[in-house]
Amino acid sequence: MEPVLLKEGIYWVGAIDWDMQYFHGPVYKTHRGTTYNSYLIVDEKVTLVDAVYAPFAGEMVERIRKIIDPARIDYIVVNHLETDHTGALPEVMKLAPKAKIFCTARCKAGLEKHYYGNWDYEVVKTGSELALGRRTLSFIEAPMLHWPDSMFTYVQEDALLMPNDAFGQHLASAFRFDDEVETDLIMEEASRYYANILYPLSKLVLKKLDEVAGLGIPISMIAPSHGVIWRKNPGRIIEAYRRWASGEWLPRAVVVYDTMWGSTAAMARSIIEGLAAEKVDARLVKISIRDLNHIFTELLEARLLVVGSPTVNRSHLSVLSPFLDELTGLKPVNRLGAAFGSYGWSRGAVKAMEGKLEAAGLTLAGEGLELLWVPDEAGLESCREWGRVLARKVKEQG
Amino acid sequence: MEKWECDVCGYIYDPAEGDSSAGIEPGTSFEDLPEDWVCPDCGVGKEDFTKLD
Ligand SMILES: [Fe+2]
Ligand SMILES: [Fe+2]
């Protein structure tokens, strides 16, 4: 693929990774690959903004070469030191050894501990500017969005924001712009990305959105480091981030469960029926066959999380533990929880799950539901009724 | 003097130690830290700290 023009003199020179299935090690399953977006600005000074993951260095360099000899790169802006955006830096520095790197102090410290290169750095802060000739860049530090070193770069004359990982999507595509790919698909991947990477940092996201809005700068295009570029409608993703970060919810419930011999599964299906009868968008997730990424995306805008497990060894099935552990780290705000399950002789699963829901900051929407052995029709009806009662809580404001 | 914890990364500001990375002397209370002081570990501002009791 050729370089792609964003604005006059500004090109996408990144790489498309159709095969990426796991991101951040084994934790984060990407369903549709990803892209590593780097951008080349050709002005009096030739500037590369971010690089790509190391295995794609050759692909990026070839794209740059179609525009200009890489040796002519004067400046490299590193918005974020994570390896998916810097792995190709050593290769670029080999081709352009005199290039100067512009990044935050934390980014510099991290780059030195990643690549141990004898490189020329200039540390920038919020408000720092870099004149390229016809254009001027300005920088906005964005600590913990999503690493301490993160920052955004803004091209003043083009009203172009390059916020690195913010506003991204893990979405490999033959196209580079939001108006070339189905909106629903982009937004689904953007929400998956938010749910799994930015959700616990929502408070900081809101503050940063306010700070950027307060700068009063026009934004005509947002070019993130993964996925499509917001050319037609940059407001769409800003508005979505505001909604997700402020914890807004829909009348939606997610039932996350697992089962031993099918009793808890039967309960789960009846609970879904009860929730749906009250017009709550209820979704069923059997945890052992889904990845966590899928579940957290389902939860992003759901008001209610229902967890189900039979009692085993006086607690819940261990297959639920990674999910319940990670839930604590995500710090959900303004969310309801409830627990259910079947049991044989002693109980314990519901109480254990309720404890973990509360520890994660959820408010219990009602008493848990436990049934002995295999539920009969009366038992299943009690599950439906339990679902209906929960549904009414879901729709209450608060 | 109270210790304060960073909500984002868990760093604890201990007034008895100060913050040598930012030139903050031991004995400086959290309230007396300059407004532009940031968490030495993750970089967020004073407003993202919570007092420990
Ligand atoms: Fe990152
Ligand atoms: Fe990234």
Side-chain angles (χ1 to χ4, degrees):
Chain A
M1 184 190 260
E2 296 289 310
V4 178
L5 193 69
L6 271 71
K7 301 259 187 185
E8 198 204 326
I10 305 181
Y11 304 85
W12 175 86
V13 291
I16 305 168
D17 186 350
W18 294 94
D19 300 337
M20 171 62 88
Q21 273 199 296
Y22 288 95
F23 209 83
H24 291 154
V27 174
Y28 180 19
K29 190 161 196 323
T30 48
H31 298 215
R32 293 192 173 95
T34 193
T35 69
Y36 313 104
N37 298 336
S38 33
Y39 301 102
L40 189 75
I41 307 174
V42 181
D43 205 318
E44 283 165 36
K45 296 289 182 186
V46 176
T47 305
L48 181 68
V49 180
D50 295 323
V52 299
Y53 186 37
F56 295 85
E59 193 175 327
M60 180 188 71
V61 167
E62 279 320 299
R63 279 202 180 100
I64 295 172
R65 216 181 279 287
K66 286 180 178 166
I67 304 163
I68 205 164
D69 178 358
R72 287 189 50 200
I73 295 172
D74 300 288
Y75 298 150
I76 302 171
V77 173
V78 180
N79 281 314
H80 176 34
L81 77 91
E82 201 165 5
T83 190
D84 54 326
H85 309 293
T86 60
L89 259 192
E91 185 61 28
V92 177
M93 293 308 288
K94 247 185 260 167
L95 298 167
K98 293 214 178 83
K100 186 174 205 173
I101 296 174
F102 294 79
C103 64
T104 63
R106 283 189 168 74
C107 185
K108 174 175 182 261
L111 287 173
E112 286 171 340
K113 289 284 175 197
H114 273 66
Y115 303 108
Y116 302 89
N118 186 22
W119 301 337
D120 186 15
Y121 289 96
E122 185 165 325
V123 166
V124 298
K125 294 182 168 182
T126 294
S128 301
E129 294 193 338
L130 175 61
L132 306 182
R134 203 172 68 68
R135 296 174 191 77
T136 303
L137 306 182
S138 46
F139 304 107
I140 303 164
E141 289 173 275
M144 293 314 284
L145 294 174
H146 69 122
W147 275 20
D149 58 285
S150 300
M151 77 171 182
F152 302 168
T153 294
Y154 179 67
V155 189
Q156 295 176 6
E157 290 72 10
D158 297 285
L160 168 62
L161 187 68
M162 296 168 159
N164 193 267
D165 280 337
F167 308 122
Q169 330 94 48
H170 286 307
L171 173 59
S173 161
F175 302 99
R176 301 279 63 81
F177 294 103
D178 59 345
D179 47 289
E180 298 173 310
V181 180
E182 277 172 65
T183 303
D184 287 353
L185 176 61
I186 305 172
M187 292 313 290
E188 187 190 326
E189 288 304 327
S191 70
R192 190 185 304 288
Y193 189 97
Y194 189 93
N196 286 277
I197 295 176
L198 292 163
Y199 188 81
L201 305 164
S202 286
K203 216 174 105 189
L204 299 176
V205 171
L206 275 185
K207 272 197 286 183
K208 190 55 60 179
L209 290 174
D210 287 343
E211 182 192 326
V212 172
L215 294 174
I217 52 174
I219 296 175
S220 73
M221 194 186 286
I222 298 177
S225 59
H226 299 286
V228 298
I229 297 160
W230 305 93
R231 168 173 75 179
K232 180 162 182 233
N233 198 348
R236 187 195 300 278
I237 191 64
I238 293 178
E239 193 264 327
Y241 266 47
R242 195 171 280 286
R243 206 171 60 239
W244 295 329
S246 49
E248 284 180 30
W249 49 265
L250 300 169
R252 180 180 294 168
V254 183
V255 179
V256 177
Y257 79 102
D258 224 299
T259 195
M260 286 174 77
W261 295 108
S263 293
T264 301
M267 291 177 76
R269 284 192 290 270
S270 297
I271 291 164
I272 289 279
E273 284 173 23
L275 286 160
E278 293 286 330
K279 303 287 177 244
V280 163
D281 172 5
R283 299 172 181 195
L284 189 58
V285 177
K286 184 177 183 180
I287 201 158
S288 54
I289 59 160
R290 300 282 178 209
D291 56 87
L292 290 181
N293 170 306
H294 170 79
I295 305 172
F296 288 119
T297 309
E298 291 286 64
L299 281 173
L300 180 60
E301 293 182 273
R303 172 70 157 147
L304 171 68
L305 164 63
V306 184
V307 287
S309 167
T311 289
V312 56
N313 297 332
R314 299 169 63 193
S315 185
H316 58 75
L317 290 168
S318 61
V319 71
L320 273 89
S321 296
F323 166 68
L324 292 167
D325 282 357
E326 209 159 311
L327 189 67
T328 310
L330 288 183
K331 301 187 217 163
V333 175
N334 200 17
R335 294 296 189 263
L336 302 174
F340 69 97
S342 71
Y343 67 100
W345 45 103
S346 67
R347 309 186 194 198
V350 164
K351 202 168 157 235
M353 291 186 289
E354 285 177 341
K356 290 180 182 181
L357 292 177
E358 285 193 294
L362 285 86
T363 306
L364 294 180
E367 278 202 19
L369 177 66
E370 290 171 295
L371 294 183
L372 183 64
W373 296 121
V374 178
D376 60 1
E377 178 47 36
L380 295 179
E381 180 49 32
S382 72
C383 293
R384 284 181 211 110
E385 178 56 20
W386 193 68
R388 288 191 288 266
V389 171
L390 287 176
R392 290 193 279 272
K393 299 268 186 186
V394 165
K395 290 188 286 185
E396 278 170 18
Q397 289 302 314
Chain B
M1 281 187 286
E2 290 93 358
K3 296 178 183 178
W4 287 65
E5 181 175 13
C6 175
D7 297 335
V8 181
C9 78
Y11 166 85
I12 292 171
Y13 177 76
D14 181 353
E17 288 179 22
D19 171 17
S20 60
S21 71
I24 304 293
E25 296 290 330
T28 308
S29 73
F30 184 81
E31 290 79 1
D32 287 340
L33 290 170
E35 280 316 301
D36 60 357
W37 179 84
V38 297
C39 172
D41 284 352
C42 80
V44 302
K46 280 179 79 172
E47 67 280 9
D48 290 307
F49 277 70
T50 305
K51 195 193 289 188
L52 292 176
D53 37 30

